[in-house]
Amino acid sequence: FGHGDSEKYLKDKCQKYKISNQVFFEGSIDNNKLLDTIKNYDAMLSASETETFGLNIIECLSRGVPVISYPAKTILEITLNNPIIFFYNNNNELISTLKHFTEKVNTEKRLLSQKIIREKFHINTMLKNYIKMYENLV
């Protein structure tokens, strides 16, 4: 979803590996439509080696969509204990994960992921955590 500098590069890779019929580039859409749409996908792949926050990952996990990601420091932090996040460090691990992650995902784990994200990123929880951080600084 969205547009970015790597869109053409990614589309070319999909053609090279003959997976264009399995990978979809949706462009930019309204946030409500995004949240409603992503729940229909099998997985989300994040190839970022660095990430400032990972809102797209949280959005997917909040809908019970498994995420396959490079273990960027912030991604490790926001996905701690989530049962449907899978990490890879290189292309071989990515290919293996893509082939086998569905064996590790079930309805119970999807629901647990939704619960974890709801609790951890609920606005009231986040506000309390920010206040605690600021109080510790002063």
Side-chain angles (χ1 to χ4, degrees), residues 100-113:
H100 301 289
F101 82 95
T102 55
E103 300 163 5
K104 300 172 185 172
V105 176
N106 58 37
T107 301
E108 183 180 322
K109 288 181 179 180
R110 289 175 190 267
L111 292 173
L112 180 56
S113 174

Side-chain angles (χ1 to χ4, degrees), residues 15-31:
Q15 286 181 339
K16 177 181 176 182
Y17 293 108
K18 297 176 177 48
I19 58 170
S20 295
N21 62 335
Q22 296 171 305
V23 178
F24 307 97
F25 293 86
E26 301 291 344
S28 295
I29 63 172
D30 170 84
N31 195 47

